[in-house]
Amino acid sequence: MFGRKAKSSVRLSFWSRLRAAARIIRGRFDAAATDAGNERHWAEADNLSADAAASPRVRRDLRNRARYESENNGYLKGILKTKSYDMIGRGPRLQLLIENKDVANEIETKFAQWAKDVRLARKMRTMVRARVRDGECFAILKTNENSPNPVKLDVQLVEAEQVTSDFDLVVGSGDARDIDGIVLDEFGGPIFYKVLKHHPGSSADLAVDPNERELVPARFMLHWFDPDRPGQHRGVTELQSSLEPAAKLRRYTLAVVEAAEQAANISGVLYTDAPAADGGTACEPWEEIQIERNTFLSMPDEWKMAQLKAEQPTTTFFEFVKSIINFFARPLCMPFNKAAGNSSEYNYASGRLDHQDYFQCTRVERSDIDCDVTRVFAEWYSEAVLIEGYLSQEARNLIGPDDYPQYPPHEWHYDGFKHVDPEKEAKAQENRLAVGTSNHPDEYAEQGKDWEMEFTKAARSLGVTLEEYQALVRQRLFGGGAIQPSEPQPDDDESSAEEREEEPAEV
């Protein structure tokens, strides 16, 4: 009896579990399903790591194709230039955040002169174009004895293919690993860079060893790239998703031009509607007939002439061009009118709206660049303080001898973005200052200017002191009134108090 109850309970438990399993809702992702319709589409999807997917061969092919396309596509060439000009402009300007303004002005002036001597802004614009087109760019901080500046620090640009592995060159401990020329520590940070002294694509020279390399410590190497995945150590061109459409644009453009040329030429064919057995006068097939200008041409019996027509969608050509330009511009957060150099279809509101995302992306990318520019400034300052007589003693004592990295607190300012309507922007700026939601340093920094320098120049142009100019700005901002220069005060101490009281008060 006990056995029957036990079997019955087991049987009930089995059916209850089966019914419970039947009630489970099983979902699925349609994008994860593979069938005959999408099998070929997803055939190239893989599970490689970031470094394995961006292998040296893959990066080489994409890099070469991106360079070829940029040199043969005017739109892409202009997009790269616009990107570098908007990102770097005339170069970063240093502003020290210290109380001693004389020392700050001294260091800022000396660094600006050094940056001008080494063409820092031009090199940074080249690095931006190389990062977008090639996927990455390298720059080595080196000593250049031929530099005209007392600080011999220089920035040497290196192309991506010059940083590559050499398995005969062993560096570091057993924990280090080499990712195509970048030697990493156990935490994935770079230790050394293996750099070819000569470009592998340069002309052959028997006196030059093409495999000669140098080891560059990570401290002296700037590596610009935008990683898309965690664990990615080498950059891939940001135009990778646009290369195929770019090639189609050039082919389609050539096809449209050839069709237009064909339609413009006087070319045609001879044909007849007569039966094959009664074709009138016989004509040789594929025979060319030369036609003179301003003449009539007689046809053989039963034969007619028809001009060739260009049957292709020329009316949709510009729409196709616009879509391809958007393929270029979207990965760079660039609006269409800036990429195409054409705002004919834009109004004020749409132009402003499309640029908001572009300006924000530029600010984010500048913040990344600032880290490397600060490294350059740290190396410059470390060398400048060692040159006797180059900086004042106050400027050399800003950082203690044991502090690293050696550089005072600072900010970087770039060229500001011009407003579409300057009058509206000026009113908005005045309102922000009046209600206290902004201040002069931030407003001038947005324009890429130093507010103290601008205030000093404005005060000098009006013939007033800096303190008087600041007081008059506050008066105009909160109480109204125009800025006027103050009259020079007399230096004669013998003037009586009564005479001074009779003088009219200055406004």
Side-chain angles (χ1 to χ4, degrees):
M1 194 69 181
F2 179 77
R4 292 181 179 178
K5 290 183 178 180
K7 292 180 180 180
S8 177
S9 62
V10 171
R11 189 178 299 110
L12 292 175
S13 176
F14 169 76
W15 287 109
S16 63
R17 290 198 304 268
L18 185 61
R19 285 193 297 270
R23 290 195 299 268
I24 297 177
I25 300 176
R26 300 185 180 275
R28 53 171 279 178
F29 295 97
D30 291 341
T34 303
D35 51 33
N38 64 2
E39 183 177 4
R40 294 181 60 186
H41 181 81
W42 302 111
E44 299 298 328
D46 55 50
N47 192 32
L48 298 176
S49 66
D51 289 331
S55 63
R57 180 176 180 179
V58 170
R59 287 186 288 106
R60 181 199 63 190
D61 293 343
L62 290 175
R63 182 171 59 240
N64 293 340
R65 293 173 184 179
R67 289 174 180 173
Y68 177 83
E69 193 63 39
S70 66
E71 294 300 329
N72 293 276
N73 191 308
Y75 285 111
L76 184 54
K77 188 78 170 180
I79 287 174
L80 294 177
K81 282 192 173 183
T82 300
K83 182 70 174 180
S84 63
Y85 293 161
D86 288 343
M87 182 78 65
I88 305 300
R90 294 172 295 172
R93 266 88 70 187
L94 173 67
Q95 184 178 21
L96 296 185
L97 305 178
I98 58 178
E99 296 182 359
N100 194 330
K101 302 306 177 184
D102 294 333
V103 173
N105 184 61
E106 175 190 1
I107 296 178
E108 291 167 3
T109 303
K110 293 294 181 61
F111 182 80
Q113 183 60 46
W114 171 84
K116 183 178 180 180
D117 290 340
V118 300
R119 304 293 192 271
L120 181 63
R122 184 175 66 182
K123 293 177 180 179
M124 291 180 66
R125 290 193 295 268
T126 302
M127 292 183 70
V128 170
R129 289 195 289 268
R131 192 205 70 182
V132 176
R133 182 190 60 238
D134 302 344
E136 57 187 348
C137 185
F138 297 87
I140 306 176
L141 304 182
K142 281 189 171 183
T143 299
N144 182 7
E145 297 296 340
N146 297 323
S147 175
N149 195 275
V151 178
K152 301 304 180 181
L153 177 69
D154 203 347
V155 180
Q156 179 187 0
L157 303 187
V158 176
E159 288 205 284
E161 50 263 50
Q162 288 184 248
V163 179
T164 182
S165 296
D166 180 8
F167 297 102
D168 297 332
L169 190 61
V170 180
V171 182
S173 62
D175 296 331
R177 57 194 183 101
D178 188 345
I179 303 297
D180 195 20
I182 304 179
V183 182
L184 307 175
D185 58 18
E186 57 181 337
F187 301 104
I191 307 174
F192 289 97
Y193 291 82
K194 302 177 181 180
V195 183
L196 288 172
K197 291 188 175 181
H198 307 282
H199 195 282
S202 59
S203 58
D205 189 349
L206 298 178
V208 173
D209 182 6
N211 296 320
E212 185 179 5
R213 287 171 170 81
E214 61 177 331
L215 284 177
V216 180
R219 173 184 172 183
F220 303 108
M221 176 67 81
L222 306 180
H223 183 195
W224 284 12
F225 78 106
D226 188 14
D228 290 326
R229 298 173 57 183
Q232 181 177 345
H233 297 94
R234 296 298 299 263
V236 180
T237 173
E238 298 181 26
L239 305 173
Q240 55 179 329
S241 59
S242 307
L243 290 178
E244 284 293 331
K248 292 181 174 63
L249 174 61
R250 289 196 296 115
R251 293 201 302 269
Y252 184 57
T253 302
L254 292 176
V256 170
V257 172
E258 291 176 356
E261 291 178 347
Q262 186 69 21
N265 293 328
I266 304 177
S267 57
V269 294
L270 297 179
Y271 72 97
T272 179
D273 296 330
D278 188 16
T281 305
C283 291
E284 294 294 333
W286 313 115
E287 181 181 2
E288 294 184 359
I289 302 176
Q290 299 295 331
I291 303 176
E292 298 292 337
R293 295 180 58 187
N294 301 324
T295 59
F296 287 98
L297 185 67
S298 61
M299 293 292 102
D301 294 341
E302 302 295 336
W303 289 87
K304 303 176 183 179
M305 172 175 281
Q307 186 177 356
L308 294 179
K309 296 181 180 181
E311 300 292 345
Q312 51 89 24
T314 57
T315 57
T316 61
F317 174 72
F318 184 65
E319 294 298 325
F320 180 76
V321 172
K322 288 174 57 178
S323 65
I324 299 300
I325 294 176
N326 276 327
F327 267 100
F328 293 150
R330 189 62 198 124
L332 308 180
C333 301
M334 185 178 294
F336 167 77
N337 64 330
K338 182 176 283 289
N342 183 2
S343 301
S344 59
E345 298 183 358
Y346 276 67
N347 55 27
Y348 173 81
S350 60
R352 286 271 305 186
L353 181 62
D354 284 5
H355 277 74
Q356 295 303 314
D357 182 47
Y358 177 66
F359 291 156
Q360 180 63 21
C361 291
T362 303
R363 294 187 185 96
V364 172
E365 291 176 339
R366 282 177 176 177
S367 65
D368 292 338
I369 292 176
D370 287 349
C371 299
D372 286 331
V373 182
T374 295
R375 292 174 54 195
V376 175
F377 173 58
E379 297 298 335
W380 175 88
Y381 185 75
S382 300
E383 183 175 340
V385 297
L386 300 177
I387 302 176
E388 193 66 31
Y390 181 64
L391 295 177
S392 63
Q393 192 61 39
E394 293 81 1
R396 301 170 67 182
N397 292 338
L398 288 178
I399 299 296
D402 298 331
D403 295 334
Y404 180 83
Q406 295 187 3
Y407 60 87
H410 63 279
E411 289 180 349
W412 296 106
H413 294 164
Y414 297 83
D415 292 342
F417 301 112
K418 297 297 183 181
H419 199 276
V420 179
D421 192 335
E423 183 177 357
K424 289 185 178 181
E425 177 62 17
K427 292 180 179 179
Q429 185 183 74
E430 185 177 359
N431 292 334
R432 290 193 297 267
L433 293 172
V435 300
T437 57
S438 183
N439 52 68
H440 284 94
D442 289 344
E443 294 294 338
Y444 278 104
E446 188 69 20
Q447 303 175 24
K449 299 178 181 179
D450 184 348
W451 74 276
E452 293 177 336
M453 184 178 298
E454 297 301 321
F455 268 43
T456 303
K457 291 191 296 184
R460 188 182 301 115
S461 65
L462 295 174
V464 298
T465 65
L466 179 60
E467 291 75 12
E468 290 175 330
Y469 179 77
Q470 290 176 336
L472 292 173
V473 167
R474 288 193 296 269
Q475 179 183 359
R476 182 179 62 179
L477 189 61
F478 300 107
I483 299 177
Q484 297 182 6
S486 60
E487 295 293 334
Q489 298 294 331
D491 296 331
D492 188 6
D493 295 336
E494 297 179 357
S495 61
S496 62
E498 291 80 5
E499 292 176 354
R500 289 196 296 271
E501 289 177 357
E502 294 176 357
E503 295 178 355
E506 295 185 71
V507 179

